[in-house]
Amino acid sequence: MRRAVLVNGVPASGKSTLSRNIVRGLVAAGVPAVPLGLDTVKEGLFAHIGTGDREHNRMLGRASYHAIFNSIAGFPDRLLPVIDAWHGFQPADVLREHLARARIDRAVEIWVTIAPALAAERYRSRSAARHAGHLPASYADELYQLAQRARPMALGPVIEVDGAAPMPPDIPMRILVALGIEARDGE
């Protein structure tokens, strides 16, 4: 059985930090976890394809998302991908198709909650230091609205985590239980 962890939440919710901590926790539990981040792939595309308008940004986001799941399709079953992305930027059917193509039978979703005002504040404060291909600081106003209505994809078990707080130490074990994986001695 192939499994995956979907770290989901609006931009600036804390997904990337949480993903790094989840991977560390899973590896410490003896599970070979592999981090995959939408922005990591997208920034590689910016470097070689270039930046552009909002539609160009969205196109590179879709391409990055597709590339992540194509990569997972080639992974050995024992590797557990931890996918850091705002999965709600595409319809649920797109995610279902990607999961099927990657032969993922079971996914647990880590839903990162964030107050709309905090998401907007974080986005504004980090925008100057991010790659120029990302949406500008002015996106924070739209993000505020998005954060008010965003919900998990809920294609499997959902574990909710507060993006404004440190990761609860039991999250890696809760993930393993939700995926039916036994922890092994850390490596």
Side-chain angles (χ1 to χ4, degrees):
M1 176 178 280
R2 296 187 68 147
R3 300 166 176 98
V5 179
L6 306 174
V7 181
N8 191 12
V10 298
S13 61
K15 295 181 305 298
S16 298
T17 299
L18 181 62
S19 292
R20 285 190 296 275
N21 290 330
I22 287 171
V23 168
R24 281 189 207 108
L26 291 170
V27 169
V31 176
V34 180
L36 296 161
L38 184 80
D39 284 349
T40 302
V41 177
K42 194 175 184 181
E43 289 172 7
L45 294 175
F46 289 153
H48 292 277
I49 296 173
T51 62
D53 63 12
R54 185 139 186 203
E55 185 49 41
H56 182 79
N57 183 294
R58 286 178 174 157
M59 183 266 304
L60 292 181
R62 290 187 304 269
S64 299
Y65 203 52
H66 196 105
I68 285 170
F69 287 95
N70 278 358
S71 296
I72 293 168
F75 285 3
D77 289 353
R78 67 181 181 81
L79 294 182
L80 180 61
V82 177
I83 307 159
D84 160 16
W86 162 225
H87 295 280
F89 85 106
Q90 294 286 290
D93 286 345
V94 171
L95 177 55
R96 281 187 193 93
E97 290 169 13
H98 287 323
L99 291 169
R101 192 177 61 262
R103 301 183 335 271
I104 295 169
D105 304 301
R106 185 168 176 87
V108 63
E109 180 178 0
I110 309 304
W111 175 247
V112 186
T113 64
I114 190 82
L118 181 55
E121 176 187 321
R122 282 181 177 178
Y123 195 89
R124 272 189 207 93
S125 69
R126 75 180 192 187
S127 63
R130 296 192 78 207
H131 191 287
H134 291 289
L135 297 177
S138 60
Y139 173 69
D141 296 331
E142 186 178 332
L143 176 58
Y144 181 90
Q145 300 298 320
L146 174 64
Q148 289 181 317
R149 67 180 184 280
R151 299 289 177 265
M153 300 300 278
L155 301 180
V158 176
I159 299 171
E160 198 167 298
V161 176
D162 181 353
M167 180 180 86
D170 69 335
I171 292 299
M173 284 305 156
R174 289 177 63 193
I175 289 169
L176 295 178
V177 168
L179 292 174
I181 298 172
E182 290 188 35
R184 306 182 247 319
D185 291 333
E187 298 175 338

